[in-house]
Amino acid sequence: MSGITLALSKGRIFDETLPLLAAAGITPSESPETSRKLIIGTNRPDVRLIIVRATDVPTYVQHGAADLGIAGKDVLIEHGGEGLYQPVDLHIAKCRMMVATPLGFDYEAAVRRGARLRVATKYVQTARLHFARKGVHVDLIKLYGSMELAPLVGLADVIVDLVSTGGTLKANNLVAVEEIMSISSRLVVNQAAMKLKHDAMQPIIEAFRGAVRP
Ligand code: PRT
Ligand code: MG
């Protein structure tokens, strides 16, 4: 494929990427929200989009099935980032990685007395590193979604999850007790494509960089 392939996920990343694409002179020919197509053309014959799960974006780019992609820092940490350049923080799909507990659970006291914590999360690498740095012993329980449920039914003491409005925590009587890091989405680039397709990719990367609104 001599053109450029960009990997995106549906939903908030796609929505927030549209203005960046526009800045690069790229208009998708249909919306992934209404179309079932997984390969979407654009107004530019040399640029196409592929629509994949958010967690799969780094994998497609790492293996060169896409030249470029957009992925959350959360996803990139879990993936490990091998084979990828991360040239631009796009400041989109922002949120915070937090530790949350049921209302009334004294997290600080549990940490102080060296309790072993059961932590449910989709973000096991991030959680492992965070608690190791704090010197807290944890049993990590890997989940694929709806982490908020785990402490309510006794599966875990705390969760590590992304929080944006806080509405989901509140609705489930949970409270954020510690921020691990702030999260935004990054442009990722296949390292070989960066060399082989440099002349075609560089204007797109620069247009994205110029359109970032921190
Ligand atoms: O949904 P799917 O299982 O396909 O995958 P995904 O959840 O990884 O994808 P998507 O599109 O939902 O998220 C893509 C990226 O958006 C993530 O990788 C994050 O970098 C970023 N992002 C920004 C978020 C949020 N904000 C966010 N609030 N990702 C998830 N959430 C979830 C959070 O996990 C929690 O369940 O929203 C819920 C909390 O939201 P509030 O507003 O109630 O606090
Ligand atoms: Mg989601």
Side-chain angles (χ1 to χ4, degrees):
M1 170 85 189
S2 62
I4 300 293
T5 300
L6 174 67
L8 290 175
S9 54
K10 287 201 265 196
R12 68 190 108 219
I13 288 188
F14 187 86
D15 297 344
E16 296 190 47
T17 299
L18 280 175
L20 303 172
L21 289 171
I26 299 166
T27 311
S29 43
E30 43 199 321
S31 162
E33 310 300 339
T34 51
S35 167
R36 286 170 182 259
K37 283 191 188 167
L38 300 175
I39 302 179
I40 293 184
T42 72
N43 61 317
R44 284 178 48 170
D46 62 329
V47 178
R48 65 177 187 172
L49 311 179
I50 63 172
I51 306 301
V52 303
R53 284 292 287 266
T55 43
D56 291 334
V57 166
T59 306
Y60 278 84
V61 178
Q62 173 189 3
H63 295 282
D67 303 299
L68 303 165
I70 296 178
K73 186 178 176 187
D74 50 314
V75 164
L76 289 166
I77 289 173
E78 296 302 313
H79 170 270
E82 288 149 72
L84 304 176
Y85 292 125
Q86 299 183 27
V88 190
D89 179 353
L90 299 169
H91 288 272
I92 62 169
K94 285 185 183 179
C95 56
R96 296 186 296 159
M97 184 73 74
M98 308 283 294
V99 180
T101 72
L103 278 170
F105 179 90
D106 194 340
Y107 175 67
E108 290 305 329
V111 167
R112 256 185 276 116
R113 71 169 184 272
R116 193 172 184 94
L117 290 178
R118 293 171 305 152
V119 180
T121 188
K122 186 170 156 183
Y123 310 100
V124 288
Q125 302 299 345
T126 307
R128 181 177 292 120
L129 199 61
H130 174 69
F131 290 108
R133 280 188 183 136
K134 282 176 68 80
V136 174
H137 293 287
V138 292
D139 292 317
L140 290 170
I141 301 166
K142 166 85 184 184
L143 292 177
Y144 291 87
S146 302
M147 272 83 82
E148 296 84 1
L149 180 61
L152 305 181
V153 294
L155 179 62
D157 304 307
V158 312
I159 64 171
V160 168
D161 195 6
L162 299 175
V163 178
S164 50
T165 63
T168 307
L169 291 182
K170 198 162 183 220
N172 292 292
N173 297 314
L174 301 174
V175 56
V177 293
E178 189 168 63
E179 175 166 342
I180 298 179
M181 64 179 80
S182 59
I183 298 287
S184 57
S185 287
R186 317 286 155 122
L187 181 64
V188 295
V189 183
N190 174 273
Q191 288 180 353
M194 189 70 158
K195 293 197 191 78
L196 298 170
K197 300 185 182 180
H198 184 269
D199 292 353
M201 307 235 294
Q202 199 57 32
I204 298 176
I205 295 169
E206 287 314 318
F208 276 31
R209 200 194 304 279
V212 169
R213 295 288 168 266

